[in-house]
Amino acid sequence: MAIKEEEKEEVREPLMAVEDGSSAHEYSKDNPWMVYLSTFVAVCGSYEFGTCAGYSSPTQSAIREDLNLSLADYSLFGSILTFGAMIGAITSGTIADLIGRKGAMRVYTAFCVTGWLSIYFAKEALALDIGRLATGYGMGAFSYVVPVFIAEIAPKNLRGLLTASTEFMNCAGVSVSFIIGNVLTWRALALVALIPCAVLLFGLSFIPESPRWLAGRHKEFEASLQKLRGKDADISHEAAEIQDYITTLEQLPKAKLLDLFQKRYLRSIIIGLGLMVCQQFGGINGICFYTSSIFESAGFSPTLGTIIYAIIQVMVTGLGAAVVDRVGRKPLLLAHELALQASPILAVTGIMLYIGSFSAGMGAVPWIVMSEIFPINIKGQAGSLATLMNWFGAWLCSYSFNFLMAWSSYGTFIFYAAVYVMAILFIITVVPETKGKTLEEIQAAINV
């Protein structure tokens, strides 16, 4: 699958020409209302992600009582979501490449609908677990395709803001599930979770497909780009830039999994996987899943602590989304890492500092960068690999947290702090700033 050195040089020249030629050119003023509408429709998938993640916490006692489940039964129901998400991560890139970003979102929505209906009609543990596995699949796949779709349709000056809105909607879905789950029955909450699925399926009929996915189909590509930029916008330069870059990539062999580790792609793979390791192995899912017990052991009201936690998470995530295109990706990542160094020596305040800084930086930014750095010819395979790494880390962190805390609560947080010290070094030395650049400029600079 390797290509000759002279062929590599021929490919690199137009890649860098894209970067040099486009940096001085600003796209004509356009009307981004279709970009906003398309983003709103897509992030319904991110909100659905949040409803899946937030469902099991407020429903635990009611489901166990109604269906006579043991603690082990319910633990399986809660954790099987992550295994479904890992399966979704493995297949998400391939499906999105084969049938398009919109087609993939329809498939993943169908999994979520099937899963919620299985949970709603469940009379025993098996139906619950099948439903949870199906919603987990959709959840894991949405975590890849939604930020990728938004990054591919957004102009460079809005890309960070709009892609970061995925994390904001994740947090909103979790928070709303926590709140209304204390009022509704667990079956009613499953039906409510179908609402974002319905909005997503309906909205997909009115928004265009990603123009970068359509780049090989000239008329459809231009129609999609024109619809996104506005009927009076001049899309000639942007269209030519995308088409030239896609044409250049088509000279390369079709990437297979092992090809991702070729020298030309190695930096983007290291960045994508490295950020996912930094995000998950710093303990975020262990702390999220066991927030109540942490507050309780610190002598603080678990109910009040969880409410404050949810409010801070949504507010800070929204703030981070609003400023990511102004301050850049790296400053938010580094601000998060530095803030977390104080967390091990604090209890309640440390948790609030932890989740606030995580929501502003490490929660959303790795997904933004992941959606930006991979060229279209490896995006499916590389994006699936990065998403799989994220979900494996989520499972490992949540599984190991109680064991680590039983060993030493202080040692657990020291370990997480050490992970973030290494993350600071990784971000400073390896991760590029992508603010204000087109996808073609970013990918040309990294993958050469």
Side-chain angles (χ1 to χ4, degrees):
M1 190 58 73
I3 57 178
K4 297 178 180 178
E5 287 300 318
E6 57 267 27
E7 291 175 332
K8 288 184 180 179
E9 293 302 319
E10 290 174 3
V11 170
R12 285 173 183 154
E13 290 178 5
L15 288 179
M16 298 311 296
V18 168
E19 180 180 11
D20 296 339
S22 62
S23 59
H25 183 93
E26 293 295 329
Y27 302 136
S28 59
K29 300 293 183 183
D30 50 39
N31 183 358
W33 73 268
M34 181 53 74
V35 173
Y36 290 133
L37 176 62
S38 299
T39 299
F40 170 76
V41 171
V43 296
C44 288
S46 300
Y47 186 90
E48 180 65 18
F49 176 115
T51 64
C52 295
Y55 180 79
S56 59
S57 180
T59 58
Q60 178 171 350
S61 59
I63 291 179
R64 288 189 62 193
E65 182 179 347
D66 289 354
L67 300 184
N68 195 27
L69 301 183
S70 67
L71 180 60
D73 291 335
Y74 196 83
S75 296
L76 176 61
F77 171 71
S79 62
I80 202 171
L81 182 80
T82 309
F83 286 96
M86 283 193 271
I87 299 170
I90 293 170
T91 61
S92 58
T94 301
I95 293 175
D97 283 349
L98 286 175
I99 63 176
R101 302 351 182 184
K102 287 175 58 179
M105 284 189 273
R106 289 190 176 99
V107 170
Y108 307 149
T109 303
F111 272 91
C112 287
V113 170
T114 302
W116 287 122
L117 291 177
S118 179
I119 291 172
Y120 176 78
F121 290 108
K123 303 296 184 183
E124 29 72 46
L126 179 60
L128 276 179
D129 293 340
I130 291 173
R132 190 70 165 163
L133 187 69
T135 56
Y137 178 89
M139 173 179 160
F142 276 134
S143 66
Y144 166 76
V145 75
V146 173
V148 165
F149 174 75
I150 294 173
E152 290 180 348
I153 66 171
K156 63 183 181 182
N157 61 309
L158 295 175
R159 192 176 63 245
L161 166 66
L162 297 181
T163 308
S165 67
T166 60
E167 180 68 15
F168 176 80
M169 292 298 282
N170 289 348
C171 296
V174 171
S175 298
V176 171
S177 293
F178 279 174
I179 294 169
I180 66 174
N182 291 315
V183 179
L184 300 177
T185 67
W186 61 272
R187 294 188 192 273
L189 188 61
L191 290 182
V192 170
L194 294 173
I195 295 175
C197 296
V199 175
L200 179 57
L201 285 175
F202 180 74
L204 285 172
S205 301
F206 300 95
I207 63 173
E209 178 58 271
S210 162
R212 285 177 169 85
W213 185 77
L214 291 170
R217 312 172 191 178
H218 188 69
K219 289 185 178 180
E220 294 176 68
F221 161 76
E222 288 199 343
S224 172
L225 189 59
Q226 191 74 67
K227 191 172 183 180
L228 287 164
R229 300 295 178 259
K231 64 178 181 180
D232 298 323
D234 179 9
I235 63 168
S236 57
H237 179 84
E238 185 178 8
E241 179 181 280
I242 295 172
Q243 288 281 23
D244 287 348
Y245 188 67
I246 298 300
T247 300
T248 300
L249 291 177
E250 287 176 348
Q251 299 176 30
L252 301 172
K254 185 66 175 177
K256 296 181 180 179
L257 184 61
L258 292 179
D259 297 328
L260 302 181
F261 300 96
Q262 292 179 7
K263 183 179 179 181
R264 67 176 295 106
Y265 302 130
L266 195 57
R267 188 183 176 204
S268 64
I269 295 297
I270 290 172
I271 293 168
L273 296 183
L275 284 176
M276 295 307 179
V277 169
C278 293
Q279 184 192 69
Q280 291 297 337
F281 284 77
I284 182 61
N285 272 289
I287 291 185
C288 286
F289 288 177
Y290 302 105
T291 301
S292 295
S293 62
I294 295 172
F295 284 136
E296 188 173 2
S297 65
F300 192 80
S301 168
T303 302
L304 179 60
T306 303
I307 292 172
I308 297 174
Y309 173 101
I311 293 172
I312 289 177
Q313 188 177 38
V314 172
M315 290 178 61
V316 178
T317 302
L319 177 62
V323 302
V324 68
D325 277 322
R326 298 179 184 176
V327 303
R329 281 53 157 168
K330 289 184 73 170
L332 286 178
L333 287 171
L334 290 172
H336 159 259
E337 307 295 353
L338 292 171
L340 291 184
Q341 303 315 305
S343 295
I345 60 172
L346 302 169
V348 175
T349 305
I351 294 296
M352 298 310 178
L353 176 63
Y354 183 100
I355 194 59
S357 57
F358 183 89
S359 298
M362 190 56 80
V365 176
W367 295 107
I368 298 174
V369 175
M370 184 274 290
S371 69
E372 295 173 327
I373 60 175
F374 298 133
I376 197 75
N377 66 314
I378 68 164
K379 183 168 282 188
Q381 297 271 15
S384 292
L385 183 61
T387 307
L388 176 61
M389 174 63 74
N390 184 278
W391 283 108
F392 173 75
W395 170 79
L396 185 61
C397 176
S398 59
Y399 179 78
S400 64
F401 184 81
N402 279 335
F403 295 103
L404 289 172
M405 290 291 284
W407 161 65
S408 169
S409 59
Y410 188 76
T412 299
F413 288 102
I414 289 294
F415 170 76
Y416 292 152
V419 171
Y420 285 123
V421 169
M422 292 186 286
I424 291 172
L425 298 176
F426 176 78
I427 293 164
I428 291 174
T429 58
V430 179
V431 179
E433 180 54 71
T434 61
K435 177 187 72 172
K437 299 178 182 179
T438 67
L439 296 182
E440 288 68 37
E441 289 171 349
I442 296 166
Q443 295 159 12
I446 294 175
N447 299 288
V448 294

